[in-house]
Amino acid sequence: MTAIETTDSKTAKFIARRNRLIDAAATLINQHGLKGMTFANVAELVDMNQNSLAYYFKRKEMLAHAAYMETLGRIADKVAEAATRPDPRARLNHYLHLVFAAQRGMRTGEERPMTVLTGMSSLPEPYRAEATELYQSVLRGMRDWFGPATKPEDLAVNTARAHVVLEGVLWLPVWLRFYAIEDFDRVERRMFEVWERGVAPATSALVHMSFARATPPEPRQEVDIDAFLRAATRLINRDGYRGASVDRIAAELRVTKGSFYHHLEGKDDLVLA
């Protein structure tokens, strides 16, 4: 064996073992969240001692970052491939086909797992910034599917469409587990029908979504607990736990803070619910 062949063999072995660790981290993050993924349980899952694991990733945060970046990179590849199709409808259709093919492969073990991205904002810096930048790049690539935006309102509409599609796909694994593989083709067709009529209709003119500022309605004081739950969910998804303050939740519902505390003892109770 030549020196070059030996080096290539070692490199391939290193990459394979590193990928095993990333896949184990993805599996554990998906099952237990970012906090539940530890060096100890990753090492146990791949039958490796923790000292050997540290050879590939010196800290848990580095491994988690690699898992998120791996998933985002695979999403970016699908977005780029879909962009080669001739129009928004075809791009959405092809992207969804790629997504379901990947889900089918993960279900059968033929494709590597992908990491659920909901905990990405909990990464420390600089890892969070790097992952966030890649996520934003994916979003911009998807936004470009819908054509040029010469005016700010067009850009806002295309950005909204991209958010709808990307968020829909990111949440797909949560509910797709209730379906058998044999149902995937039917679910894919139905999901595309929803997108086609909502964000990329078959007609030449894409659906119009107005972002004009309406006159604010009068404040309301009577809301039920479900309204608080919905408002908190929207804000947490958009701005994270810290961004979903009592003031912002109350403002979202156009109620006073007194109304909030009339229904709830505090923010943590609402987040837990």
Side-chain angles (χ1 to χ4, degrees):
M1 182 178 292
T2 66
I4 293 177
E5 288 173 333
T6 302
T7 301
D8 289 345
S9 176
K10 288 182 178 179
T11 300
K13 187 176 294 186
F14 177 89
I15 293 173
R17 288 180 176 173
R18 186 178 185 275
N19 286 343
R20 280 186 63 207
L21 295 175
I22 291 173
D23 292 350
T27 299
L28 291 166
I29 290 172
N30 294 348
Q31 293 175 350
H32 308 295
L34 181 56
K35 290 184 178 179
M37 188 276 286
T38 66
F39 261 15
N41 53 24
V42 169
E44 181 180 0
L45 193 59
V46 299
D47 194 22
M48 179 186 295
N49 65 60
Q50 294 186 51
N51 290 334
S52 298
L53 194 156
Y55 173 72
Y56 298 90
F57 299 97
K58 295 188 182 302
R59 295 188 300 278
K60 165 189 167 177
E61 293 78 11
M62 295 175 68
L63 176 55
H65 172 254
Y68 287 124
M69 296 295 281
E70 165 73 21
T71 290
L72 285 167
R74 288 160 67 184
I75 295 173
D77 289 343
K78 292 180 178 62
V79 170
E81 181 176 337
T84 64
R85 295 310 190 261
D87 55 63
R89 183 179 184 277
R91 291 164 196 154
L92 274 172
N93 196 2
H94 187 63
Y95 177 68
L96 190 58
H97 182 70
L98 293 173
V99 166
F100 270 85
Q103 290 295 324
R104 188 178 289 105
M106 284 184 279
R107 181 76 67 89
T108 60
E110 298 172 357
E111 185 156 339
R112 296 172 60 192
M114 297 179 72
T115 311
V116 174
L117 300 178
T118 51
M120 193 174 71
S121 60
S122 299
L123 282 172
E125 297 294 1
Y127 308 115
R128 180 174 57 199
E130 292 177 7
T132 300
E133 174 55 33
L134 182 52
Y135 177 89
Q136 294 295 335
S137 176
V138 170
L139 185 68
R140 289 191 294 269
M142 188 174 283
R143 182 181 65 192
D144 291 344
W145 287 354
F146 301 102
T150 57
K151 295 182 291 186
E153 53 266 34
D154 295 332
L155 184 64
V157 170
N158 287 350
T159 301
R161 292 188 178 112
H163 270 295
V164 168
V165 175
L166 189 54
E167 289 295 322
V169 167
L170 294 181
W171 282 103
L172 185 66
V174 175
W175 55 264
L176 193 60
R177 66 179 185 269
F178 297 110
Y179 291 86
I181 290 180
E182 293 74 19
D183 295 322
F184 278 18
D185 288 342
R186 175 177 60 83
V187 176
E188 178 186 335
R189 287 194 301 271
R190 179 60 184 138
M191 192 169 181
F192 178 69
E193 287 176 5
V194 174
W195 280 356
E196 181 183 32
R197 296 172 184 175
V199 294
T203 55
S204 58
L206 295 178
V207 65
H208 176 69
M209 298 166 64
S210 175
F211 283 80
R213 292 183 178 273
T215 303
E218 291 298 319
R220 60 183 186 186
Q221 299 297 322
E222 295 301 326
V223 294
D224 57 22
I225 186 65
D226 287 341
F228 282 105
L229 287 170
R230 289 192 294 271
T233 300
R234 286 195 298 271
L235 288 170
I236 290 170
N237 287 343
R238 190 183 70 198
D239 304 320
Y241 173 82
R242 293 182 180 178
S245 65
V246 172
D247 286 331
R248 295 184 71 178
I249 293 171
E252 183 87 358
L253 294 173
R254 304 187 304 280
V255 299
T256 64
K257 287 177 65 175
S259 177
F260 179 97
Y261 288 112
H262 173 73
H263 290 85
L264 300 148
E265 292 187 6
K267 170 183 165 181
D268 287 342
D269 292 334
L270 182 59
V271 171
L272 182 60

